[in-house]
Amino acid sequence: MAGNNVNDVELLSDWLKDTSEPHEFEEPILDDFVLQTLQFASDKFDLDVHVFILSVCIIEQYLRKRENGSVCPIDEGLILMAGLFISSKFIGGTNHLSSEDAVGFLESVTFRDYEIHMLMRSEEEILRVINFSIPLATVADHLGLLSQMYLERHKINMNLMPLCNHILQMLYVRRKKWYNELKNLYSQDEETIVAFRFLMINKFYIPAAVLLTCWHITEVKTIVDFNTAVNELQLITKIQRDHLNLAAGVILNLFEKKS
């Protein structure tokens, strides 16, 4: 047991040291309606938020790489469900989406006929184009670890993950809106534009902003001093509190509008 604890501490230490994602951040591609459809499918089949987030990553990665090498038309519905299908298999566990269910859902929302072999062909096409490169961790994983670490550190007996995941999912469904809003706020001059780029490749930026949003609307702020909490997040993420507060403010605004 002691050995496992040491390994856990070492892994956590490595995770905290590496703040950047292994690639440049690229602007969102998928429109709100497409993301809402993807979310609807995820909810219908009780798929974890990790499946939804990963499917967005896979689909957008495919679309970016495909733009550079193909002019053939694609069936957007098939690509959407194939991305979700791949993601559900990759995450595994109880997140099982059968090919029959995927095709049935696609037919119900498009009023068109599809065959399972068409889904399989789209799955193969996506994996080939992205060169089988599927992220091992997403923003949902970083959010879970950050939340767990903070709650354990302060001995807070409260499960924030359902709300955090709900906020994250809402944020992803409206990705273009919050991204463009933040981008506009950071478009004052070259210095702020560069700062925004660095923020968007920091793997803690969105998780920390979501966690901060969660604190704003729960009882955590009555348990832990809010300024202390934000200062600690700043220390962990290496992101100045002004940036975190600004991002949380944008998310809160979106959350309140939706509610």
Side-chain angles (χ1 to χ4, degrees), residues 18-26 178-179 182-183 186-187 189-208 237-240 243-244 247:
D18 183 15
T19 61
S20 296
E21 293 287 12
H23 55 77
E24 285 293 323
F25 179 83
E26 296 179 274
W178 67 257
Y179 174 81
L182 279 171
K183 184 180 178 181
Y186 281 93
S187 296
D189 52 47
E190 188 60 34
E191 185 177 345
T192 55
I193 291 172
V194 171
F196 181 59
R197 288 174 185 159
F198 275 105
L199 287 170
M200 293 307 298
I201 63 170
N202 187 312
K203 70 183 181 185
F204 296 126
Y205 180 52
I206 295 174
T237 64
K238 300 179 177 63
I239 300 173
Q240 292 181 6
H243 294 304
L244 295 176

Side-chain angles (χ1 to χ4, degrees), residues 79-136:
I79 295 302
L80 199 69
M81 289 311 296
L84 193 64
F85 186 60
I86 293 168
S87 181
S88 71
K89 291 199 289 186
F90 186 81
I91 298 296
T94 59
N95 295 287
H96 176 66
L97 175 63
S98 70
S99 55
E100 291 82 4
D101 283 341
V103 169
F105 177 84
L106 191 54
E107 290 181 332
S108 71
V109 296
T110 63
F111 302 103
R112 295 170 57 188
D113 292 329
Y114 288 92
E115 300 290 341
I116 290 177
H117 71 84
M118 298 166 71
L119 179 72
M120 299 296 107
R121 199 159 55 230
S122 293
E123 177 189 16
E124 292 171 2
E125 161 75 1
I126 290 173
L127 291 173
R128 181 187 62 79
V129 170
I130 68 174
N131 197 27
F132 296 87
S133 177
I134 298 176
L136 293 176

Side-chain angles (χ1 to χ4, degrees), residues 101-248:
D101 283 341
V103 169
F105 177 84
L106 191 54
E107 290 181 332
S108 71
V109 296
T110 63
F111 302 103
R112 295 170 57 188
D113 292 329
Y114 288 92
E115 300 290 341
I116 290 177
H117 71 84
M118 298 166 71
L119 179 72
M120 299 296 107
R121 199 159 55 230
S122 293
E123 177 189 16
E124 292 171 2
E125 161 75 1
I126 290 173
L127 291 173
R128 181 187 62 79
V129 170
I130 68 174
N131 197 27
F132 296 87
S133 177
I134 298 176
L136 293 176
T138 68
V139 63
D141 298 295
H142 301 319
L143 174 59
L145 283 170
L146 193 62
S147 174
Q148 180 183 353
M149 182 186 69
Y150 192 87
L151 293 178
E152 287 180 354
R153 181 174 295 185
H154 290 277
K155 296 181 173 58
I156 300 173
N157 186 23
M158 182 184 295
N159 183 10
L160 295 179
M161 285 318 300
L163 179 56
C164 282
N165 285 336
H166 176 68
I167 295 171
L168 180 63
Q169 191 174 52
M170 178 215 66
L171 194 60
Y172 258 65
V173 168
R174 306 189 70 186
R175 289 176 83 220
K176 281 192 172 181
K177 183 167 181 59
W178 67 257
Y179 174 81
N180 288 328
E181 192 166 335
L182 279 171
K183 184 180 178 181
N184 288 336
L185 290 171
Y186 281 93
S187 296
Q188 302 168 19
D189 52 47
E190 188 60 34
E191 185 177 345
T192 55
I193 291 172
V194 171
F196 181 59
R197 288 174 185 159
F198 275 105
L199 287 170
M200 293 307 298
I201 63 170
N202 187 312
K203 70 183 181 185
F204 296 126
Y205 180 52
I206 295 174
V210 169
L211 192 56
L212 198 53
T213 304
C214 190
W215 291 345
H216 272 292
I217 55 181
T218 63
E219 297 176 356
V220 173
K221 61 185 177 185
T222 65
I223 301 172
V224 179
D225 178 70
F226 194 75
N227 283 328
T228 302
V230 178
N231 287 337
E232 188 168 5
L233 264 185
Q234 175 179 267
L235 187 64
I236 292 170
T237 64
K238 300 179 177 63
I239 300 173
Q240 292 181 6
R241 60 179 295 154
D242 289 345
H243 294 304
L244 295 176
N245 283 326
L246 184 61

